Amino acid sequence: MELKGIHHLSAITANAKENLDFYTKVLGLRLVKKTVNQDDTSVYHLFYGDERGNPGTELTFFEIPMAAPNKPGTSSISATSLRVPNNEALQYWKQRLDDHGVQHEEIAYRAGRSTLAFTDFEGQRLILVSDENNEGVEGGRPWERASVPQKYGVTGLGPIRLTVRKAESTVHVLTEVMGFRKKSTYPSHEDGQPDIIVFETGKGGSGAEVHIEERPDLPFERQGRGGVHHVAFRVEDRAALDEWIQHITNAGLPNSGFVERYYFKSLYFREPNGILFEIATDGPGFDGDEDINHLGESLALPPYLENKREQIEASLKPLNYKPEQL
């Protein structure tokens, strides 16, 4: 049993329209699915990714309109990385972020790679990571109709940083239960703080890393808009997921059991510091209920919600997404 890498990451926004504009028009991601939160169908769940929304490229957002601002702290997913092809792409992105008035840091070296940290309009903490010399999990292919030239486009999710009060317990679950391997360490950007520890799974590389930052000095994070809800890791199919469900249960970790999400199948559980993990299958994918050329243009609902379509659509504000306007 081995996890293949990062599957997707789900964050929180208070404004689906502004979120859509930022992630498609500024970051050049493709909206691959406009659907609803299956646990609260009154709000949007937006999925962004590469040209098909391949596993490992999906950044998703739950819209919670009244969400207060996120209060950073421990027991959190404190940074989300996005892979770009090379160092040249980082130079392009630095200028693009300036052109769009996006706050960012300078290009810096983290864990052996050139990176560029920035925040979105709600304070979502993001880091562009160069794949200049990456070996490991393959990236995706940016959409050719995106607002960013394909040669500079985001190719998927990169390392995910977890900030915790006690690293030991999270490390135990990552290595002894989930099969991650310790790879390296690198200095924290915060003076006097312990080095950040890098773990990898599967083929390794930027698409299969979790970085652990121990910060006992911080308060617990209060999740809100600009925060991250959970991170998901990849398995091949339902048979592999069933093995993981049994494995996680045998390890004594309370979990959701099997959950049907239609576009993939899942298991949810929390690691000891309270961060929500998901294990998700690579398929079926996002083109089973929409033509590949028109992903995200209409409200998509899994079959078990279709009988509530009229009620669901009445509760949502139209987004009027038109890819040709990117």
Side-chain angles (χ1 to χ4, degrees):
M1 293 173 61
E2 187 175 58
L3 299 170
K4 298 172 65 177
I6 300 162
H7 186 283
H8 70 268
L9 181 135
S10 294
I12 298 169
T13 181
N15 190 315
K17 179 64 172 67
E18 288 189 36
N19 183 273
L20 178 61
D21 285 347
F22 183 87
Y23 285 91
T24 59
K25 295 180 180 179
V26 179
L27 292 194
L29 302 178
R30 184 180 189 185
L31 179 67
V32 295
K33 195 63 58 179
K34 178 173 65 174
T35 185
V36 293
N37 181 348
Q38 294 182 22
D39 299 317
D40 179 2
T41 60
S42 67
V43 296
Y44 282 111
H45 190 184
L46 304 179
F47 288 76
Y48 305 101
D50 71 349
E51 61 182 2
R52 303 182 71 94
N54 284 304
T57 75
E58 303 156 22
L59 178 59
T60 95
F61 286 87
F62 299 113
E63 184 192 33
I64 304 178
M66 301 303 291
N70 195 71
K71 300 293 185 183
T74 65
S75 295
S76 69
I77 299 170
S78 55
T80 303
S81 299
L82 302 173
R83 300 165 66 180
V84 296
N86 48 41
N87 294 344
E88 179 186 351
L90 279 188
Q91 295 295 334
Y92 166 85
W93 278 100
K94 183 178 179 183
Q95 184 61 55
R96 183 174 180 84
L97 295 179
D98 282 338
D99 292 344
H100 286 272
V102 177
Q103 292 187 345
H104 65 83
E105 299 178 7
E106 293 301 313
I107 293 174
Y109 212 56
R110 293 179 173 88
R113 305 181 184 97
S114 293
T115 66
L116 178 60
F118 67 103
T119 55
D120 77 358
F121 66 100
E122 292 176 307
Q124 189 71 236
R125 295 154 291 183
L126 301 161
I127 303 175
L128 292 167
V129 175
S130 168
D131 267 353
E132 180 86 17
N133 299 308
N134 183 60
E135 294 182 357
V137 174
E138 298 83 2
R141 178 180 169 85
W143 191 33
E144 62 181 7
R145 293 170 58 193
S147 59
V148 171
Q150 202 169 26
K151 67 176 182 177
Y152 297 133
V154 172
T155 60
L157 291 169
I160 304 302
R161 188 175 73 210
L162 311 181
T163 297
V164 298
R165 283 196 167 182
K166 295 181 179 180
E168 182 180 4
S169 55
T170 297
V171 168
H172 174 80
V173 168
L174 283 177
T175 58
E176 300 303 316
V177 179
M178 299 176 69
F180 277 77
R181 310 175 295 272
K182 183 177 179 181
K183 178 183 179 182
S184 62
T185 63
Y186 64 97
S188 169
H189 279 213
E190 301 294 332
D191 292 340
Q193 297 301 324
D195 286 351
I196 294 172
I197 313 170
V198 178
F199 297 89
E200 66 178 3
T201 187
K203 295 180 180 179
S206 57
E209 287 182 3
V210 171
H211 296 188
I212 303 294
E213 176 187 40
E214 187 173 64
R215 293 295 303 272
D217 58 309
L218 296 178
F220 290 109
E221 178 156 301
R222 292 174 59 189
Q223 205 170 83
R225 66 177 186 267
V228 177
H229 189 265
H230 68 268
V231 60
F233 302 98
R234 295 173 59 188
V235 294
E236 184 69 24
D237 52 25
R238 172 67 189 271
L241 179 64
D242 286 343
E243 289 186 9
W244 276 99
I245 292 171
Q246 189 61 53
H247 179 65
I248 294 297
T249 301
N250 290 344
L253 292 169
N255 64 82
S256 65
F258 175 80
V259 178
E260 175 63 71
R261 292 304 190 198
Y262 186 59
Y263 305 110
F264 44 84
K265 304 170 194 310
S266 297
L267 161 74
Y268 298 86
F269 64 99
R270 292 189 185 274
E271 55 79 45
N273 277 285
I275 298 170
L276 184 60
F277 286 171
E278 178 181 357
I279 296 176
T281 60
D282 275 357
F286 293 103
D287 56 358
D289 59 349
E290 291 183 299
D291 184 279
I292 189 66
N293 295 311
H294 298 283
L295 297 179
E297 295 180 22
S298 302
L299 181 69
L301 297 176
Y304 43 85
L305 291 179
E306 271 296 343
N307 63 340
K308 299 179 181 178
R309 175 174 287 275
E310 185 175 347
Q311 172 189 344
I312 289 171
E313 289 185 333
S315 69
L316 299 170
K317 294 181 180 179
L319 291 180
N320 300 319
Y321 171 62
K322 297 181 180 179
E324 64 271 17
Q325 294 179 357
L326 294 176

